[in-house]
Amino acid sequence: MARNLMSDEEWAFFERFILAVRAPNGRKPTNHRLVLDGIFWIARTGAPWRDLPEEFGKWSSVYRQFRRWTLAGLWEDIMETLNQSGAV
């Protein structure tokens, strides 16, 4: 079982951003919630990507999705929304 998983309420907030940047490519959808939990695990621990616990999936797949979301501006969109909401 993955550690420090996000709540359903937290996932509901992030899911809309992820769906907005998702590009249909014919592949089976990734478990984006688990990938996001893995990215947050890396952010919390400061560990190298290769040390990501297997429970989050292959580290290289999680990193690749992190990179795609970075290039798509996902993190900036999330931060802008949080800043505007006054939640941060």
Side-chain angles (χ1 to χ4, degrees), residues 20-64:
V21 299
R22 186 176 179 279
N25 58 6
R27 287 185 179 178
K28 181 181 175 194
T30 304
N31 181 344
H32 293 301
R33 186 173 182 167
L34 188 60
V35 168
L36 193 58
D37 276 323
I39 292 168
F40 289 163
W41 185 90
I42 290 292
R44 274 194 313 275
T45 64
W49 284 101
R50 290 180 186 268
D51 290 346
L52 182 70
E54 290 181 19
E55 63 204 73
F56 295 109
K58 290 173 53 178
W59 75 265
S60 57
S61 297
V62 175
Y63 173 76
R64 189 169 35 254

Side-chain angles (χ1 to χ4, degrees), residues 1-83:
M1 183 76 178
R3 295 161 265 180
N4 296 321
L5 295 176
M6 72 184 81
S7 69
D8 289 341
E9 184 180 353
E10 291 167 328
W11 170 241
F13 172 80
F14 290 111
E15 183 180 30
R16 62 189 165 131
F17 293 97
I18 290 168
L19 293 176
V21 299
R22 186 176 179 279
N25 58 6
R27 287 185 179 178
K28 181 181 175 194
T30 304
N31 181 344
H32 293 301
R33 186 173 182 167
L34 188 60
V35 168
L36 193 58
D37 276 323
I39 292 168
F40 289 163
W41 185 90
I42 290 292
R44 274 194 313 275
T45 64
W49 284 101
R50 290 180 186 268
D51 290 346
L52 182 70
E54 290 181 19
E55 63 204 73
F56 295 109
K58 290 173 53 178
W59 75 265
S60 57
S61 297
V62 175
Y63 173 76
R64 189 169 35 254
Q65 189 62 57
F66 168 76
R67 186 76 180 128
R68 282 188 198 121
W69 287 341
T70 299
L71 293 173
L74 177 83
W75 311 117
E76 289 85 355
D77 292 346
I78 290 171
M79 290 306 297
E80 182 177 328
T81 299
L82 287 171
N83 286 331

